[in-house]
Amino acid sequence: MRLASAAPAAGGGGGGSGDLKSDQAVWSRASKDLGGLSTSVKTGVSALETGQKGAAPTGVESATAQAELYQSWKTYLENLAGKCAALRGPLEKAGQGQYENDEAIRGGFDQIDAQYKDTPATGGDGGR
């Protein structure tokens, strides 16, 4: 398998034209799909919260671990939904060509990455 712009094995020029084409409809669709994903994740968080009600009897060690796990997943899913929602704008702008260059696009995505960090691992006695 060879990339279109890679030079052929026998020498000579690459097979690609060198012009990268971007389809605005693809970027818009990706943005819209992230919005749907964000909504689905929020629905999952709501179901998780409903299932958690009354699930933690007091004085049981496994209940404490389960409560920690629940909180960890809730935080993770809320951040995931927020990240999906936050990525919609940059994707839409990238498709519309409103960012002036690759560095500006990268900066937009870097800001989102800085805001939404993965949650630290939980469980066991390591966090105490």
Side-chain angles (χ1 to χ4, degrees):
M1 184 188 236
R2 188 182 311 280
L3 293 174
S5 61
S17 67
D19 294 327
L20 178 62
K21 306 254 190 255
S22 180
D23 186 346
Q24 183 175 346
V26 173
W27 288 97
S28 293
R29 177 61 192 212
S31 175
K32 182 179 176 184
D33 288 349
L34 275 173
L37 180 59
S38 177
T39 300
S40 294
V41 170
K42 287 177 185 176
T43 301
V45 169
S46 179
L48 184 66
E49 288 172 342
T50 300
Q52 179 66 18
K53 291 181 180 163
T58 57
V60 179
E61 282 187 42
S62 63
T64 303
Q66 190 274 337
E68 287 179 19
L69 183 62
Y70 160 74
Q71 189 58 51
S72 173
W73 271 102
K74 182 178 183 232
T75 300
Y76 176 78
L77 291 172
E78 287 172 342
N79 285 338
L80 178 62
K83 188 172 185 176
C84 288
L87 280 169
R88 289 188 71 193
L91 283 175
E92 194 67 40
K93 287 179 183 179
Q96 294 170 353
Q98 292 183 2
Y99 280 131
E100 293 192 15
N101 58 39
D102 289 346
E103 203 56 43
I105 293 170
R106 186 176 299 114
F109 287 106
D110 286 347
Q111 285 178 334
I112 293 167
D113 283 341
Q115 182 178 355
Y116 294 99
K117 298 283 186 198
D118 283 345
T119 57
T122 62
D125 292 331
R128 295 181 188 186

